[in-house]
Amino acid sequence: MTVAVVLFTSDLRLHDHPPLHAALKAADEVVPLFVLDTGIHATGFDAPNRRAFLADCLGDLDASLRRRGGRLVVRAGPVVREVCAVAAECGATEVHMAAGVTAYAHRREERLRDGLGDSGVALRVHETVVTALAPGAVTPSGSDHFAVFTPYFRRWSQESQRKPLPAPRTVRVPDEVRGEPLPDRAEVPGTSPGLPSGGETAGRDRFSRWSRSGLSRYEDRHDDLAGDATSRLSPYLHFGALSPVELVHRARGHGGPGADAFVRQVCWRDFHHQVLAARPEASAKDYRTRHDQWRDEDDAAEDIAAWRDGRTGYPIVDAAMRQLRHEGWMHNRARLLVASFLTKTLYVDWRIGARHFLDLLVDGDIVNNQLNWQWVAGTGTDTRPHRVLNPLIQAKRFDPDGTYVRRWVPELTDVDGNRVHEPWRLPAEQRKGLDYPAPLIDLADGLARFKHARGRD
């Protein structure tokens, strides 16, 4: 009996899973393996919301495998040690896994290849598992990656993508391979109250329901803060509970402007993956420096605390920050808005905001989180690096009657209409009854400081 190991990482699903598909073709038995990697724990990346969502994903994956005659083997410890141990226990000749783009993923792959090679076990790394197109599949003339989204999207759209793979009908797992108990969401403290359920089953159900009612309207409504009309699929994509290849395939099959707009957002993920694959240092350093002298945590401690707590005095900013804390998720338009407010109105280092997001976001990953923050801060791939999003203009455009604000800032529930966006302009008697702070900074003062810092005054 030949045996192969499939190391699951950010690909916690059975549908459209190239490593599992290849392993099942190559071997009689397969060990589906997930390692609770102490290396990731040491970095602090496994924040409570993601740890709880991960527990859901692993439980769902195990249940799906058991329905097919298999099971998920969970081990805990250094990933190379555990993978090599499992391969030795079952006599595997191959280990299959998805390719990653972060510096950590590259180091993990290199160490796995060396460790397995010492025992004569081959490591097979598969592309287009966590992205729809491999990071290096398209490149511009004279460069190893695209630095601007639009030409990348044009080339990406012209590339043929592989067809989604079906989930396996049967998975045979060797009996002798031991595993540890699955983690339990209920045992994870400090999670957000409104955290969604994880797992492939929940993700596929969410996409099916949203595609019936929301996909066709996505182009017109994806920026509607109060309407909450986005897919909310980002956590499932982050953990690989859904396949980007399959989502693009199904959206294109649906057709229409809404589907086109949704596919464009999937392409944004691929765009950032190919940037970071080429420039892994951009997870911590400016992709394009503007020579900013950012305010740090010592210089701006009170401002940063007010921003984190949703007490800036700008209701649209505070609503978004409170949504983040309650749900472990934030609307994409709101993410742009609060990031612009922190980096350009308060002139605080983007890394401080990115770290806070990673502390709470269930979909928080190094690729999209860090590069989106850089895009807003003007140190990334944005072709208009000095643009500043005015929170009042944004609020009146994307939350015109204040519904989103009143949903998340209960202190302002009784303020009617769009007056809720500027509570400091309310009559004095009405302001007295509000337990809500005055604006942290005048927008004009913040803009002037930013322009001066960038040498544009």
Side-chain angles (χ1 to χ4, degrees):
M1 298 287 284
T2 56
V3 182
V5 173
V6 177
L7 176 61
F8 287 83
T9 54
S10 298
D11 49 350
L12 304 179
R13 64 180 186 269
L14 294 186
H15 290 83
D16 192 45
H17 197 284
L20 180 59
H21 185 81
L24 288 168
K25 288 183 66 175
D28 300 310
E29 294 182 324
V30 168
V31 179
L33 172 67
F34 185 86
V35 178
L36 294 167
D37 186 359
T38 50
I40 291 178
H41 179 73
T43 67
F45 185 74
D46 59 341
N49 284 339
R50 289 191 295 280
R51 196 151 24 108
F53 198 90
L54 171 64
D56 286 351
C57 289
L58 295 178
D60 184 72
L61 181 59
D62 180 64
S64 296
L65 285 164
R66 288 182 183 277
R67 287 194 294 271
R68 292 162 170 83
R71 61 190 169 95
L72 179 66
V73 175
V74 173
R75 302 286 278 263
V79 64
V80 176
R81 184 192 75 189
E82 294 303 320
V83 173
C84 290
V86 169
E89 287 173 25
C90 65
T93 56
E94 295 180 347
V95 172
H96 296 257
M97 68 178 297
V101 302
T102 65
Y104 185 87
H106 288 315
R107 290 194 300 271
R108 178 178 61 195
E109 181 183 327
E110 183 179 334
R111 293 198 302 267
L112 277 170
R113 197 176 298 281
D114 289 343
L116 292 167
D118 290 341
S119 303
V121 180
L123 179 65
R124 312 293 187 197
V125 180
H126 300 261
E127 298 283 4
T128 65
V129 183
V130 299
T131 57
L133 204 66
V138 293
T139 56
S141 176
S143 179
D144 56 357
H145 73 290
F146 280 90
V148 179
F149 174 72
T150 299
Y152 175 77
F153 178 58
R154 191 178 302 117
R155 285 283 304 278
W156 183 93
S157 300
Q158 294 168 353
E159 288 292 308
S160 60
Q161 295 184 3
R162 65 172 179 81
K163 292 182 179 179
L165 300 167
R169 294 184 177 181
T170 304
V171 180
R172 296 177 58 187
V173 180
D175 294 332
E176 65 271 17
V177 181
R178 66 173 181 83
E180 299 186 13
L182 293 168
D184 186 346
R185 176 191 182 115
E187 296 175 356
V188 181
T191 59
S192 294
L195 191 70
S197 298
E200 181 181 17
T201 301
R204 294 182 72 82
D205 178 65
R206 180 178 289 275
F207 178 71
S208 293
R209 287 186 286 109
W210 179 76
S211 64
R212 288 193 296 269
S213 60
L215 183 58
S216 61
R217 299 179 292 170
Y218 183 72
E219 183 184 36
D220 297 326
R221 299 194 60 205
H222 70 275
D223 278 325
D224 179 2
L225 287 167
D228 195 17
T230 63
S231 69
R232 286 182 175 254
L233 296 177
S234 54
Y236 304 95
L237 281 166
H238 168 63
F239 284 91
L242 290 176
S243 158
V245 170
E246 184 179 3
L247 291 184
V248 170
H249 180 80
R250 291 177 65 177
R252 285 175 170 168
H254 186 282
D260 292 342
F262 176 74
V263 168
R264 185 180 177 90
Q265 292 303 310
V266 177
C267 181
W268 264 108
R269 286 185 77 252
D270 279 14
F271 172 69
H272 282 153
H273 275 77
Q274 60 96 40
V275 171
L276 199 67
R279 300 290 182 270
E281 67 276 6
S283 65
K285 297 181 180 179
D286 289 349
Y287 177 76
R288 289 179 175 139
T289 184
R290 307 297 171 187
H291 305 290
D292 287 293
Q293 298 297 314
W294 300 109
R295 301 167 71 208
D296 61 21
E297 289 183 283
D298 292 330
D299 296 333
E302 292 185 4
D303 288 356
I304 294 167
W307 177 81
R308 286 173 175 159
D309 294 340
R311 299 283 293 175
T312 68
Y314 288 95
I316 196 72
V317 173
D318 295 340
M321 298 305 294
R322 296 184 194 190
Q323 180 183 28
L324 171 62
R325 190 168 295 278
H326 182 82
E327 295 189 344
W329 184 88
M330 188 192 295
H331 192 288
N332 183 60
R333 171 55 55 177
R335 297 188 197 203
L336 299 176
L337 197 159
V338 302
S340 177
F341 186 83
L342 183 72
T343 58
K344 291 176 174 174
T345 302
L346 298 181
Y347 199 55
V348 170
D349 193 327
W350 65 265
R351 283 159 281 248
I352 293 172
R355 187 167 64 248
H356 180 67
F357 268 32
L358 285 179
D359 285 343
L360 291 172
L361 280 176
V362 65
D363 62 21
D365 64 41
I366 295 299
V367 183
N368 297 296
N369 187 66
Q370 308 303 87
L371 293 182
N372 273 320
W373 268 94
Q374 289 224 51
W375 189 90
V376 177
T379 63
T381 61
D382 188 7
T383 55
R384 294 173 55 197
H386 308 298
R387 82 172 90 196
V388 178
L389 298 181
N390 182 305
L392 297 182
I393 293 174
Q394 294 282 303
K396 291 174 181 177
R397 181 177 178 186
F398 300 115
D399 187 31
D401 62 1
T403 300
Y404 178 74
V405 163
R406 280 185 289 273
R407 181 181 303 156
W408 295 108
V409 187
E411 305 96 299
L412 303 178
T413 299
D414 295 331
V415 181
D416 296 331
N418 66 11
R419 295 194 306 163
V420 75
H421 296 307
E422 299 175 275
W424 59 89
R425 296 187 183 277
L426 294 171
E429 283 300 313
Q430 191 173 0
R431 288 202 310 273
K432 285 181 182 178
L434 299 178
D435 178 23
Y436 188 72
L440 198 61
I441 186 175
D442 185 275
L443 295 179
D445 292 341
L447 181 60
R449 175 173 57 191
F450 176 69
K451 286 185 174 181
H452 178 72
R454 289 275 174 97
R456 300 178 65 82
D457 52 0

